[in-house]
Amino acid sequence: MRLVPFLLGVVLLLGPRSGWGCQLPATDQTTCWNSSGSVIPCAGTGEDGDLREGAPLAYVDNGDGTVTDVTTGLMWEKLSHDGTVHDDHNTYTWANAISGHVATLNRTNFARHNDWRLPNVRELLSIVTYQNLLPTVAPAFDNHCSSGCDVTRCSCTFSGDTWTSTSEADSPSNQWFVDFQDGQVGAGLEHGSGPVRAVRDASTGCSLPATGQTTCWDSSWNVIPCAGTGQDGELRKGAPLAYVDNGNGTVTDLNTGLVWEKLSDDGTVHDKDNLYTWANAFTAHVAALNFTSFAGYNDWRLPNVRELQSIVNYQNVNPAVSSASAFNTNCAPGCPATTCSCTASGDYWSSTSSVSDPWNAWYVRFSYGRVDAFGRSDGKSGAASVRAVRGASTSNTTTSSTSSTTTSTSTTQAPATTTSTTRAPTTTTTTSTTTTTQPPTTTTATSTTSTTTTTTTSTTTTTTTLPICGDVNGDGVVNIGDALVIAQFDVGLRQCAVASFSQPTVCDVNGDGACNIGDALKMAQCDVGLIGCAFTCRSFACP
C-alpha cells in the first residue's frame, strides 16, 4: 500500500478545528548563523535552525514516476534526464507550461492520472528545503540523476526558475516562479521560459492555505474569464484563507493554527513602522513580547520563511495580505492592535538564514509577496519589519490526562482475545473487583492454581489497566496524532514499538487483526467527532 495520508484529509474536509491546525512543512534548516554569516550553536538563538518548526519533510516515491508529500498529500511529477516530456531541462513559456507540458501528461494518462496541473506558488514553494542548495530540494526530488535516467529510476531538479500557475497581481504579465537554486520566489522569468513540474491533488493530506488569487489575466495584462485557463485564479487550490481576530491583539490562522501578532499604528512595540536589524528582531521585538506576556503568552518567536509566506494573499498588493479583520483593517494613526490591524508594504524578517549567503536572512516583501534573501545590500544588519508568531508546532497537544498512575502495567489476566480497553479513564480503579473465580460459588478469592487472584473490594486493587484503546503514542488521548503514527507504520515509515509508536498493543481499533490505515481512519474520525472514541481493541503484537 502506498502512502495513505487521507486520514488527515478527513479532518480537513470538516474544516479547521479550534486548537488544531495543519502544520506547514518545515523548512528543514538545521544550522544557525550570526549576522556576520558565521556558524554558531543554535541553542537559545530562536533561529529557524534552533526551533525547526513545522512538519518534518517526508515523501514517498510511488514507483510510477511520482512522489507524494506526506504532509500536504500533493502528488508531484518526478523529473528525469532522458529527453522525454519529463526531462528537467525542458523549458516552456508560461502558456505552454499549461497547454504543452501539463496537457501532454493528461493526454497520456501519466501515472494513470489525467488531472495534472501547474502548481500554485504556495504549493511549489512547499517542496523547497532551506538547508540544501543547487538544487534546494529533498533527496526525493534530486536522487541518482544522471544522463539517460528515467522517472522510475531517478529524480531530477533543475537549479533554476520553475513556473507556477500564480500571476503577479500588480504586474499580471508576470507570473510567479520558484528558483530551485536557493528557494527565492520571484516574478517574471528571464527570457520568458522555464522548466515545469506538474502536480495533482491526492484528495488526502493537510491542504496548504490557498494563495487567495481569484482573477485570471492574459499576457497583455487583460483580465480574462478564468474557465479552462488552468491558472491559479481558476483552480484556487488549497484551503480557503480563514482567520479569527482573538480580540487581544492577535489573529489565528484557522488553516495552520498559527497565532499571529497584529500590528498597530500607535507608537507601541506593535507599531507597523518599527524597524529592526535581524538580531534585534529576536532580542528586542520578540523578547519584549515575551517579557510582557503579550496576549497572555510568553512563547512568541520570529516566523520561519514558510510560515511568513503563508499569510501572503496573492490577490492583493500594497499590502499583499488578507483584510477583513485579519492583517489590514481599520488601520489609522493612533489605532492599537486590539481595534485595528496594520501591515506595512515592506520587508518582514523571517528566522531563516540564506544557506548560500548566511549573512543574509530570508524576508517576505509584503508590497506584493516576493520571498527573497538577496535584495538588501546590508543583509542582516539592515532594518526591516517584524511580525511575531506563536503556536502550531505541536498541534495536537493536549494535556494528557491527569494521572499516569498505574497506567501501562502488567499484562491483563484475560486471554489474548479482546482487550476491551475503552477510551474512558486512565483511572486505575478496576472493575476487576471480584473477577469471577474458577470454582462456582460467587464471592472472592478462590485460588485455584495460580491464575487470577481477584480481590474483593474494588478499592485500590492493583488493577491491570491497559492503555487507552487507540492511544498508540501514549499521550492519554486518541486523536490525529495516533492516526498519523499508524498511517506511517502502515507504509513502512515508522517502526513498531519505537516512539512515538510506543503502545502498539492498542492499535487495532477496528478488530480486523491488523494495524493499518483502517485503524488510522477510525482514530481520525474519532478526533473530529464523526464517531465515538470508546473503541474496543483486538490485541495486536508487533510483527
Side-chain angles (χ1 to χ4, degrees), residues 497-511:
V498 175
S500 56
F501 190 13
S502 52
Q503 298 181 160
T505 55
V506 292
C507 165
D508 184 15
V509 298
N510 64 6

Side-chain angles (χ1 to χ4, degrees), residues 132-288:
N132 300 337
L133 287 170
L134 298 166
T136 178
V137 290
F141 297 102
D142 186 49
N143 187 24
H144 306 302
C145 186
S146 58
S147 181
C149 73
D150 61 51
V151 289
T152 58
R153 294 185 297 113
C154 72
S155 192
C156 304
T157 296
F158 178 72
S159 296
D161 303 340
T162 300
W163 287 119
T164 78
S165 62
T166 310
S167 296
E168 184 185 357
D170 69 334
S171 183
S173 63
N174 292 327
Q175 290 74 39
W176 289 100
F177 63 80
V178 174
D179 184 353
F180 282 97
Q181 176 175 280
D182 47 40
Q184 182 186 48
V185 176
L189 276 179
E190 189 178 0
H191 309 307
S193 65
V196 177
R197 185 189 296 276
V199 72
R200 62 175 296 273
D201 303 323
S203 303
T204 64
C206 233
S207 291
L208 294 164
T211 68
Q213 191 153 106
T214 56
T215 305
C216 299
W217 295 269
D218 64 19
S219 57
S220 301
W221 301 28
N222 299 311
V223 173
I224 58 173
C226 281
T229 62
Q231 294 185 27
D232 188 6
E234 176 195 10
L235 303 180
R236 306 181 189 185
K237 294 294 182 177
L241 304 182
Y243 306 94
V244 169
D245 190 310
N246 301 310
N248 60 358
T250 70
V251 165
T252 297
D253 183 334
L254 294 181
N255 288 309
T256 64
L258 292 168
V259 179
W260 292 91
E261 172 195 13
K262 288 171 65 182
L263 299 183
S264 62
D265 196 8
D266 60 355
T268 67
V269 67
H270 310 293
D271 196 290
K272 66 178 177 63
D273 297 319
N274 295 340
L275 300 177
Y276 305 84
T277 64
W278 192 67
N280 284 343
F282 298 97
T283 60
H285 186 83
V286 171

Side-chain angles (χ1 to χ4, degrees), residues 2 8 14 42 54 61 63 65 143 163 187 199 229 231 298 302 307 336 358 374 386-387 409 413 437 462 485 493 505:
R2 294 289 167 198
L8 295 175
L14 301 171
C42 281
D61 191 312
N143 187 24
W163 287 119
V199 72
T229 62
Q231 294 185 27
N298 60 4
L302 205 58
E307 293 170 328
F374 314 105
V386 176
R387 185 190 297 276
T409 77
Q413 339 176 174
T437 60
T462 42
V485 166
L493 291 178
T505 55

